[in-house]
């Protein structure tokens, strides 16, 4: 039977920066638009975290029952390691999704945007369909698109819209940037798992691209995320703060490009998550400082 600490590890807390980052950017964009709401920002963060944890447990369950995690290198998987039954892990994932939906209902009621409930349902369906069901799209190389759309565009712009009831260019570019970094994190994870995923028939984008091209794509995603803010630097001069992240990108990019494999890539995941959090904080600070000092 899994301990509380193992359940916590199975939730993969190191992935949570990917959930928080778009909320920070979206809330900063709402502030720039004059519509920041602390209560709605907290609800958006709660939804994002619950969905992220739910996705992690859902992947644990689905990959575990398919045997994909039987020889996994990386964070603990409850189902694959037989520490918890598949049913326990699946119900925990569903519990997280249900809690996220409840928080989502509260958010759209406060925002007066009940039609966004459909977006919430789509988020839960996409979260489960990543590795769950009979034809999971994560096994067909489409998981990266899901991460970009839902953990980049939807999470960021949804946060902005439910507070300011509008979006702007700064919100869109921030959404694209954090989405690209989230994609880079997934790419690093899947590069590490290429050998076992091939055996299990899991055709991730990393598997489809091949080891070398997948590693290069990781670097390109981070580079593009840091360059995009330059397009609005004329209107938001403090947005150039994001360039302070360049030194932080050297180590993970170096590990990827030098061909490190297996557990040697685990630090890349940690650093990429922190880069996303740092990007969101610096990007958000750039928006807020520009407005405050205008």
């Amino acid at each position: 039977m899994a301990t509380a600490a193992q359940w916590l590890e199975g939730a993969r807390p190191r992935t949570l920066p990917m959930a928080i980052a778009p909320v920070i950017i979206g809330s900063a964009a709402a502030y720039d638009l004059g519509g920041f709401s602390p209560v709605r920002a907290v609800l958006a963060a709660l939804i994002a975290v619950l969905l992220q944890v739910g996705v992690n447990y859902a992947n644990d369950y689905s990959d575990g029952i398919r045997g994909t995690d039987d020889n996994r290198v990386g964070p603990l998987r409850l189902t694959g390691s037989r520490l918890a039954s598949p049913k326990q892990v699946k119900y925990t994932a569903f519990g997280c999704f249900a809690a996220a939906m409840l928080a989502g209902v509260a958010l759209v009621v406060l925002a007066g945007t009940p039609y966004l409930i459909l977006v919430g349902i789509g988020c839960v369906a996409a979260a489960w369909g990543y590795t769950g069901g009979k034809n999971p799209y994560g096994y067909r190389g489409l998981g990266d698109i899901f991460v970009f759309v839902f953990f980049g565009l939807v999470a960021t712009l949804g946060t902005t819209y439910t507070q300011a009831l509008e979006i702007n260019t700064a919100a869109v570019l921030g959404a694209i940037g954090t989405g690209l970094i989230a994609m880079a994190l997934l790419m690093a994870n899947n590069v590490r798992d290429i050998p076992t995923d091939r055996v299990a028939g899991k055709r991730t984008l990393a598997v489809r691209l091949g080891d070398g091209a997948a590693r290069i794509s990781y670097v390109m995603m981070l580079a593009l995320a840091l360059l995009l803010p330059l397009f609005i630097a004329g209107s938001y001069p403090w947005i150039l703060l994001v360039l302070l992240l360049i030194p932080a990108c050297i180590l993970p990019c170096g590990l990827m490009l030098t061909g490190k494999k297996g557990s040697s890539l685990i630090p890349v995941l940690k650093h990429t998550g922190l880069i996303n959090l740092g990007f969101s904080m610096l990007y958000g600070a750039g928006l807020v400082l520009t407005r405050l000092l205008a």
Side-chain angles (χ1 to χ4, degrees), residues 101-122:
M101 287 297 294
L102 288 175
V105 169
L107 177 58
V108 299
V109 168
L110 287 176
T113 56
Y115 46 87
L116 290 183
I117 290 177
L118 295 176
V119 176
I121 294 172

Side-chain angles (χ1 to χ4, degrees), residues 122-209:
C123 289
V124 172
W128 175 252
Y130 176 48
T131 55
K134 295 181 179 179
N135 192 24
Y137 61 84
Y139 278 65
R140 293 182 283 132
L142 299 176
D144 304 74
I145 296 175
F146 157 78
V147 165
F148 178 75
V149 171
F150 288 95
F151 284 94
L153 303 183
V154 173
T156 306
L157 300 181
T159 297
T160 301
Y161 190 78
T162 52
Q163 293 179 51
L165 298 182
E166 60 178 313
I167 59 175
N168 58 6
T169 302
V172 172
L173 289 182
I176 294 173
T178 190
L180 285 169
I181 300 173
M183 282 180 66
L185 190 149
L186 180 60
M187 183 62 71
N189 180 79
N190 289 342
V191 164
R192 182 198 64 197
D193 294 339
I194 284 177
T196 53
D197 283 347
R198 279 178 176 158
V199 173
K202 189 175 182 179
R203 302 284 293 173
T204 63
L205 184 58
V207 170
R208 291 180 179 275
L209 289 175

Side-chain angles (χ1 to χ4, degrees), residues 13-239:
R14 288 183 178 177
T15 65
L16 296 186
M18 187 167 69
I20 296 298
V23 177
I24 294 174
I25 295 173
S27 296
Y31 179 87
D32 178 51
L33 290 165
F36 174 67
S37 168
V39 173
R40 296 179 205 175
V42 170
L43 281 172
L46 180 61
I47 293 165
V49 168
L50 287 168
L51 284 175
Q52 179 64 64
V53 174
V55 167
N56 291 340
Y57 281 132
N59 292 348
D60 186 307
Y61 163 77
S62 298
D63 284 343
I65 61 173
R66 287 186 171 89
T68 307
D69 289 338
D70 286 350
N71 297 296
R72 180 179 176 82
V73 176
L76 173 74
R77 289 297 185 104
L78 296 164
T79 307
S81 62
R82 311 297 191 270
L83 287 170
S85 71
K87 183 181 293 186
Q88 287 176 314
V89 178
K90 180 173 68 172
Y91 287 166
T92 302
F94 286 170
C96 290
F97 293 149
M101 287 297 294
L102 288 175
V105 169
L107 177 58
V108 299
V109 168
L110 287 176
T113 56
Y115 46 87
L116 290 183
I117 290 177
L118 295 176
V119 176
I121 294 172
C123 289
V124 172
W128 175 252
Y130 176 48
T131 55
K134 295 181 179 179
N135 192 24
Y137 61 84
Y139 278 65
R140 293 182 283 132
L142 299 176
D144 304 74
I145 296 175
F146 157 78
V147 165
F148 178 75
V149 171
F150 288 95
F151 284 94
L153 303 183
V154 173
T156 306
L157 300 181
T159 297
T160 301
Y161 190 78
T162 52
Q163 293 179 51
L165 298 182
E166 60 178 313
I167 59 175
N168 58 6
T169 302
V172 172
L173 289 182
I176 294 173
T178 190
L180 285 169
I181 300 173
M183 282 180 66
L185 190 149
L186 180 60
M187 183 62 71
N189 180 79
N190 289 342
V191 164
R192 182 198 64 197
D193 294 339
I194 284 177
T196 53
D197 283 347
R198 279 178 176 158
V199 173
K202 189 175 182 179
R203 302 284 293 173
T204 63
L205 184 58
V207 170
R208 291 180 179 275
L209 289 175
D211 187 83
R215 291 171 184 273
I216 292 172
S217 73
Y218 170 89
V219 177
M220 292 177 65
M221 290 174 198
L222 290 188
L224 184 56
L226 296 186
L227 290 174
L228 279 173
L230 297 180
F231 286 100
I232 58 171
S235 302
Y236 300 90
W238 286 96
I239 209 74

